[in-house]
Amino acid sequence: WDLNTSGLWWEWNGTSWSGNGTATSPLPAASANDTIVKNGSAAAITDANGDQWTVKGGVVYQDGQTAGYSANVAEIAYVNGNVWHENTSNLWWEWNGTSWSGNGTATSPLPTPTTLAVPTGPSTNDTIVLAGSKSSIIDASKNTWTISNGTVLKNGQAAGYSANVSRIAYVNGNVWQQNTSGLWWKWNGTTWPGYGTSTNPLPSSATIGSTTASTTVSQSQISVLATQGDHMVFVTGTGDSLNLSGGTEKITDTGSKNTYVLPTAGHGVDAFTSNILAVNDVLDLRPALAATSWNGSNSTLSQYLSVSDTASGAALSISAAAGGAGTTIATIAGTNASLNGILTHAIV
């Protein structure tokens, strides 16, 4: 293909440039802002020039070729039109067109998902702080709990003995910590007694309030509900069931095998910032289809569901009547999936 200075594209047909030019770019749409791809994932970031960025074996590739020098890369990210990579030492580098500039920065270019705590009183029940976060838990006695280098700190000092801590939680007035082996301990006032329990003290369900702008779902095997408002939802758990509707839900999923109940037409859009199909997530289309006149026959399903390529990725639309105008209910960045491709990851 060639692009002229008037913004029109022509395709080579073997002997000449066919047609009268089209304003539709043949290049894949750029990935959504803040898209993340983890090392080893089959997903890719597409930049504004149509270049494909992947990370494999701790090395960053641009269109299948190594992009400058990189090593021990944990993830790549697409932020405000720029490609970044983070290494396993938690340092970030930005691609400048030919190399990764600077000496690395500890400041992430991504928006930070935080659990908000009331600084002058107890944190809300079921508050979670992940390792690496700058957030804290405030208990009823106004003590501040944080995690530093895998250790739990109380008011800046080590709280008893702890190691390899992945998160802390505030549940029914108690402070809990979970280690990287998935075991939980409860603080008894002086120490973390016992050998740990695999029973999660956090609830099996959660509701996202209409005024909660950003939240992190770090638990696994729980149900999450949102019915009003726009949210940024960061999902790190596995096997969760999320029913997010009523507004625009910008979802960053770094977990796997989660199920998303998509909204009915006109009741919100689930906008996924990465290709969730690549991590075995599932789309539950049953409520959305139940609100249409579809009779349940596979032969007519395509008259109600459609998939199109947009700047935000694959857009899934649904119409109330057969062949009617579609309403977008979800977008999935990082994929140009067909309807059949979507349905292999869906419940209808």
Side-chain angles (χ1 to χ4, degrees):
W1 291 78
D2 81 54
L3 172 70
N4 71 5
T5 54
S6 298
L8 296 177
W9 290 88
W10 277 264
E11 183 181 7
W12 182 253
N13 65 11
T15 56
S16 62
W17 302 99
S18 59
N20 297 316
T22 174
T24 302
S25 172
L27 293 169
S31 296
N33 195 36
D34 302 331
T35 294
I36 299 170
V37 173
K38 297 286 187 180
N39 179 42
S41 169
I45 286 172
T46 303
D47 66 19
N49 296 318
D51 294 323
Q52 299 281 307
W53 295 81
T54 55
V55 54
K56 182 179 180 181
V59 175
V60 182
Y61 294 85
Q62 180 186 22
D63 295 329
Q65 303 295 318
T66 54
Y69 172 77
S70 59
N72 303 316
V73 176
E75 64 183 8
I76 55 176
Y78 191 54
V79 185
N80 299 327
N82 298 309
V83 177
W84 291 76
H85 85 250
E86 181 189 25
N87 68 6
T88 53
S89 297
N90 300 318
L91 294 178
W92 289 88
W93 278 265
E94 182 182 9
W95 181 252
N96 64 12
T98 55
S99 63
W100 303 99
S101 58
N103 298 315
T105 174
T107 302
S108 171
L110 292 163
T112 303
T114 57
T115 302
L116 300 180
V118 180
T120 57
S123 296
T124 56
N125 196 35
D126 303 328
T127 292
I128 300 169
V129 173
L130 301 178
S133 170
K134 296 180 180 179
S135 298
S136 61
I137 286 173
I138 311 295
D139 67 20
S141 299
K142 298 186 179 180
N143 296 305
T144 301
W145 298 79
T146 54
I147 306 173
S148 177
N149 297 320
T151 299
V152 181
L153 304 182
K154 176 183 177 183
N155 298 325
Q157 302 296 317
Y161 172 77
S162 61
N164 303 316
V165 176
S166 61
R167 70 192 68 194
I168 53 176
Y170 191 56
V171 185
N172 299 327
N174 297 304
V175 176
W176 291 77
Q177 56 116 328
Q178 182 189 35
N179 68 6
T180 53
S181 296
L183 296 178
W184 289 88
W185 280 263
K186 182 171 70 170
W187 181 251
N188 68 0
T190 56
T191 187
W192 309 95
Y195 297 100
T197 174
S198 58
T199 301
N200 190 335
L202 290 161
S204 60
S205 63
T207 299
I208 303 174
S210 61
T211 60
T212 301
S214 173
T215 190
T216 298
V217 179
S218 56
Q219 303 102 302
S220 295
Q221 305 292 331
I222 72 165
S223 299
V224 181
L225 176 67
T227 58
Q228 296 183 50
D230 299 333
H231 310 97
M232 292 181 64
V233 183
F234 299 85
V235 183
T236 61
T238 299
D240 294 327
S241 176
L242 301 101
N243 188 341
L244 310 176
S245 63
T248 298
E249 312 293 336
K250 184 176 181 181
I251 304 165
T252 299
D253 188 338
T254 56
S256 64
K257 300 180 180 178
N258 296 306
T259 298
Y260 291 91
V261 181
L262 295 188
T264 56
H267 291 84
V269 177
D270 287 356
F272 299 97
T273 64
S274 61
N275 183 8
I276 60 166
L277 307 181
V279 293
N280 297 317
D281 283 350
V282 175
L283 303 177
D284 188 344
L285 298 170
R286 290 174 295 183
L289 287 169
T292 72
S293 61
W294 181 52
N295 63 6
S297 172
N298 289 335
S299 63
T300 60
L301 183 57
S302 62
Q303 299 177 29
Y304 295 86
L305 284 175
S306 62
V307 177
S308 59
D309 293 332
T310 71
S312 300
L316 179 62
S317 299
I318 194 166
S319 57
T327 300
T328 300
I329 58 173
T331 58
I332 306 174
T335 182
N336 295 319
S338 64
L339 177 58
N340 286 337
I342 293 287
L343 291 176
T344 60
H345 299 272
I347 305 172
V348 297

